[in-house]
Amino acid sequence: MGEVIGNLLPLAVGVAISPIPIIAVILMLLSRHARTTGPGFLAGWAAGIVIATTLLVVIANAIGMNGPAGEPKTPVSWIELLLGVLVLTLAARQWTSRPREGTQPEVPSWMKAIDEVTPARAASLGLLLSAVNPKNLMMCVAAGIAIAQGELGIGEEVGAVAVFSVIAACSVAIPVLVYVIDAERMRGPLDELKVWLESNNATVMFVLLLVIGVVLLGKGIGGLIN
């Protein structure tokens, strides 16, 4: 169980440090309907992570991740290798698409209409950004493989999914919870964080994806060599 959690931690952080959903929830918390849209977005974000990860764990268990001797099956190692290459490709795209110094990064059009978002729309947006986002899906696939390879009991697998989901959702949960506790005091810090993330989105994601891509690449190569 400890080894599985250790393998899950960088993947969960990879989902958590996603600037777009953090910026989205901050914009909702700074909008007129903050007390309903913020929690709604959090509910959708967390539900998407739990559903995607659970489904992928079930699929990984059905396929079988380990050989008779307990070593990763060759196709599994190839999948990890492919995931590593894809994540590194995303990292390269983040680096090349970063805004030049002095230029203002483009804001997605749906963010400009954030004041008009309803709680139901906020929840569906959170679900979409967590469960359908290609980068998050790659993290969830890797998480499903890591949990299935641990050959845990059902209770332990549920615990592993819960740990992964809590860490992955914390970057959205923390601003919502802090805002609920003291809304007025948090408006200034949240606005400053939003501005910083908008300016450094590409750099943050590049570093994160680079680290995770190298880890997945190493696991895939290690499994093929062994």
Side-chain angles (χ1 to χ4, degrees), residues 97-219:
S97 65
R98 73 192 188 283
R100 297 190 178 187
E101 192 173 344
T103 61
Q104 192 69 18
E106 263 190 63
V107 177
S109 57
W110 58 266
M111 282 191 180
K112 298 174 184 175
I114 212 81
D115 272 340
E116 309 304 321
V117 171
T118 63
R121 172 71 175 159
S124 62
L125 183 60
L127 185 68
L128 190 68
L129 286 175
S130 62
V132 185
N133 181 289
K135 187 266 294 180
N136 283 4
L137 274 178
M138 283 190 273
M139 301 299 114
C140 290
V141 168
I145 291 173
I147 293 171
Q149 283 182 328
E151 298 184 339
L152 307 173
I154 294 178
E156 289 177 317
E157 286 193 339
V158 170
V161 171
V163 169
F164 175 81
S165 301
V166 167
I167 296 172
C170 71
S171 59
V172 171
I174 290 173
V176 172
L177 295 175
V178 171
Y179 183 87
V180 169
I181 293 169
D182 195 344
E184 287 307 314
R185 184 178 295 180
M186 289 310 300
R187 291 185 70 87
L190 285 174
D191 197 37
E192 291 174 7
L193 177 60
K194 175 184 75 72
V195 172
W196 186 89
L197 285 171
E198 285 175 346
S199 300
N200 297 278
N201 175 6
T203 304
V204 170
M205 289 309 302
F206 165 72
V207 173
L208 184 67
L209 292 172
L210 180 65
V211 172
I212 293 174
V214 170
V215 170
L216 289 171
L217 205 64
K219 287 184 67 177

Side-chain angles (χ1 to χ4, degrees), residues 25-144:
V25 77
I26 289 174
L27 287 173
M28 289 179 192
L29 294 175
L30 296 173
S31 71
R32 293 183 311 228
H33 309 293
R35 291 195 175 273
T36 53
T37 55
F41 183 84
L42 171 59
W45 175 257
I49 294 169
V50 172
I51 292 169
T53 309
T54 301
L55 182 61
L56 288 163
V57 169
V58 171
I59 293 172
N61 280 332
I63 295 172
M65 296 290 104
N66 296 331
E71 78 287 352
K73 288 182 178 178
T74 299
V76 175
S77 296
W78 277 111
I79 291 172
E80 290 177 327
L81 187 65
L82 177 61
L83 283 174
V85 171
L86 290 173
V87 171
L88 288 175
T89 303
L90 280 178
R93 286 184 60 187
Q94 288 289 335
W95 182 254
T96 55
S97 65
R98 73 192 188 283
R100 297 190 178 187
E101 192 173 344
T103 61
Q104 192 69 18
E106 263 190 63
V107 177
S109 57
W110 58 266
M111 282 191 180
K112 298 174 184 175
I114 212 81
D115 272 340
E116 309 304 321
V117 171
T118 63
R121 172 71 175 159
S124 62
L125 183 60
L127 185 68
L128 190 68
L129 286 175
S130 62
V132 185
N133 181 289
K135 187 266 294 180
N136 283 4
L137 274 178
M138 283 190 273
M139 301 299 114
C140 290
V141 168

Side-chain angles (χ1 to χ4, degrees), residues 1-18:
M1 181 67 169
E3 185 179 348
V4 170
I5 297 299
N7 290 331
L8 291 177
L9 285 177
L11 301 171
V13 171
V15 176
I17 306 181
S18 299

